[in-house]
Amino acid sequence: MKKPLNMLIWQWGRRGAGPKTAVEFSKAMLSISNVKAFLSLSRQAEIVQKNRNISVDFPIKTYTTVLGYLCRVLQAPLMIYKLYHIIKRKKINIAVCTMPGPMDLVMAMALRLLKIPYIVIVHDVHPHPGDGYIFQYYLQKLLIKQSRLTVTFSKYVYKQLIAVNFVPSSQIIQGWHPPFSYCSETHKPQFVSQEIKLLNFGRLLLYKGFDLLEEALDQVTIQRPYMLRIVGQGPKSAVLDRLNKRNNVIVENRWVPEEEIGKLMQWADVVILPYREASQSGIAATALAFGKPILITNVGGLSEQFKEDDLVFICEPTTDDIAKGLDEVLQLNFPLSRQKHNADKEWQEFAEYLIKEITHKIYKS
């Protein structure tokens, strides 16, 4: 950028990939000359409460319950008024929403009053089965339609966004999903054994393919001891109960705090993601950043995202193919010496790419 750019980066979720994406993106933008990044997160964000080194320029009080959300909606005019003056005082030129949420139209209105363009990073165009966020996707549609540009993390989502025709294709930027970085300190493993350690991590929803995984485990032919940990939060289900009853499977249905994710990745020998559908995977990208091989299914944008990486086993979303993939994984010689992805570098490359696209599409169009 030849002219200084004051960029507001916001994401008002409390937990998970939303605020993490905003922090990683903001950190990367700070490395670009002539770009000054201002970060806005929820005051209740886990990543802020657990890491005091994160500087939040615009902390926003959000909500923790449905009643709290309704109260914040009623206070929307006051929020818009405050945001309007803060944004004006900071001389913001452009804003980026790194993952849409239920309150983003408040920010969009403040930006619109100031005639400041904003960009939305779209992770999913359609809700996954069991997501439970149908109303949020309607709000996302409104947010996208009012945006100046939208960004996707995969070609798969890019094509979906074109198909729904929310915005012209000229306003869509196709990017990629950089890996998340987590603390990589050495921890003592919770389970000490000579078994191959398999990890399935993420939300415990049925579209993640737990039924396929259960059947595939019965078809594994390699006689080598292994332990599979399925870790994440989701509704109780019969298939998870059955998996948990197996001698070599442990299901940990719980929220995993930010500081524990690195420990989980270090524990694992292989990350197993037998999805029935997916847009892209931040979890798989993070596993590669830790130098872990991954077993994934050929759905959505996963093959596109990882087909060039070594030690990525891509199988079809069928019981037979997943079983064959597990057999391949169990024949590997551990510990593996694998080159790790540099998460910070990949976020910087993504930020630089996005700045070039913004410059071309907004400031030179």
Side-chain angles (χ1 to χ4, degrees):
M1 290 291 296
K2 294 181 180 179
K3 296 181 180 179
L5 188 66
N6 291 337
M7 176 180 287
L8 170 61
I9 299 165
W10 93 88
Q11 209 291 323
W12 293 341
R14 291 187 296 114
R15 304 190 301 182
K20 180 68 174 178
T21 302
V23 170
E24 298 280 13
F25 187 68
S26 175
K27 184 170 62 175
M29 279 296 175
L30 290 173
S31 67
I32 300 176
S33 61
N34 285 336
V35 176
K36 188 172 183 180
F38 296 87
L39 180 61
S40 180
L41 296 176
S42 166
R43 290 184 185 274
Q44 293 100 317
E46 178 188 63
I47 197 170
V48 176
Q49 295 177 349
K50 297 291 180 68
N51 191 342
R52 299 300 179 184
N53 294 325
I54 295 175
S55 176
V56 181
D57 303 284
F58 298 6
I60 300 295
K61 181 182 178 181
T62 53
Y63 56 91
T64 56
T65 63
V66 174
L67 180 60
Y69 171 69
L70 294 175
C71 290
R72 296 306 284 161
V73 169
L74 293 174
Q75 296 169 354
L78 178 60
M79 290 182 66
I80 293 170
Y81 174 82
K82 290 182 177 179
L83 285 168
Y84 176 96
H85 288 283
I86 293 173
I87 294 169
K88 186 176 181 180
R89 186 168 64 249
K90 295 292 186 180
K91 298 180 180 180
I92 300 298
N93 307 113
I94 195 166
V96 179
C97 173
T98 58
M99 181 184 284
M103 291 181 59
D104 292 330
L105 291 177
V106 173
M107 175 66 87
M109 180 58 71
L111 292 167
R112 189 174 180 180
L113 290 172
L114 289 163
K115 298 181 179 180
I116 297 172
Y118 70 84
I119 299 166
V120 181
I121 298 180
V122 180
H123 297 244
D124 298 293
V125 175
H126 305 290
H128 295 294
D131 262 346
Y133 299 119
I134 304 300
F135 179 63
Q136 182 171 317
Y137 278 86
Y138 174 73
L139 295 177
Q140 174 179 273
K141 176 181 177 180
L142 295 178
L143 189 71
I144 291 171
K145 284 193 168 187
Q146 295 176 24
S147 67
R148 180 61 181 82
L149 294 173
T150 53
V151 179
T152 70
F153 276 149
S154 67
K155 186 177 182 179
Y156 176 77
V157 175
Y158 174 83
K159 289 181 176 179
Q160 284 188 319
L161 198 53
I162 290 176
V164 295
N165 198 31
F166 290 168
V167 291
S169 59
S170 60
Q171 294 182 20
I172 306 174
I173 300 171
Q174 180 190 322
W176 64 93
H177 200 315
F180 294 126
S181 60
Y182 292 98
C183 177
S184 57
E185 295 177 4
T186 302
H187 298 276
K188 292 182 180 180
Q190 184 176 348
F191 303 96
V192 180
S193 72
Q194 298 302 313
E195 299 167 318
I196 303 303
K197 298 182 287 294
L198 310 179
L199 173 67
N200 176 280
F201 172 60
R203 292 186 300 163
L204 304 187
L205 299 178
L206 294 183
Y207 81 89
K208 298 298 183 86
F210 296 115
D211 56 334
L212 296 175
L213 179 60
E214 178 191 21
E215 294 174 8
L217 291 175
D218 290 329
Q219 297 184 22
V220 170
T221 61
I222 300 300
Q223 299 299 311
R224 188 175 184 182
Y226 67 86
M227 176 176 290
L228 169 62
R229 290 177 71 188
I230 299 173
V231 187
Q233 190 174 47
K236 294 181 178 180
S237 66
V239 65
L240 289 175
D241 287 342
R242 291 195 300 270
L243 282 166
N244 197 39
K245 290 177 182 178
R246 289 175 174 261
N247 292 331
N248 55 348
V249 179
I250 297 176
V251 177
E252 302 173 39
N253 194 338
R254 60 188 175 87
W255 176 256
V256 179
E258 173 87 8
E259 65 273 14
E260 192 182 334
I261 295 175
K263 181 180 178 180
L264 274 176
M265 288 294 172
Q266 287 179 322
W267 173 87
D269 291 318
V270 185
V271 174
I272 309 292
L273 303 172
Y275 297 161
R276 283 186 171 274
E277 64 172 72
S279 301
Q280 60 274 313
S281 176
I283 293 170
T286 299
L288 293 179
F290 276 84
K292 306 295 182 177
I294 58 176
L295 172 65
I296 59 173
T297 44
N298 184 21
V299 295
L302 296 185
S303 178
E304 162 206 339
Q305 188 179 3
F306 301 110
K307 63 183 179 182
E308 301 298 330
D309 287 281
D310 64 317
L311 287 184
V312 174
F313 297 84
I314 301 176
C315 55
E316 296 304 314
T318 64
T319 298
D320 291 345
D321 223 38
I322 293 171
K324 291 178 183 177
L326 287 169
D327 279 339
E328 287 187 78
V329 163
L330 291 174
Q331 293 181 75
L332 296 174
N333 294 319
F334 297 98
L336 295 173
S337 177
R338 187 189 186 286
Q339 183 177 0
K340 299 180 180 181
H341 284 213
N342 188 322
D344 289 341
K345 182 180 178 181
E346 290 196 31
W347 275 103
Q348 288 173 9
E349 290 173 351
F350 177 75
E352 289 169 358
Y353 165 75
L354 192 56
I355 288 295
K356 289 179 181 178
E357 290 294 310
I358 292 171
T359 302
H360 174 69
K361 292 181 177 290
I362 295 182
Y363 297 105
K364 288 187 179 179
S365 59

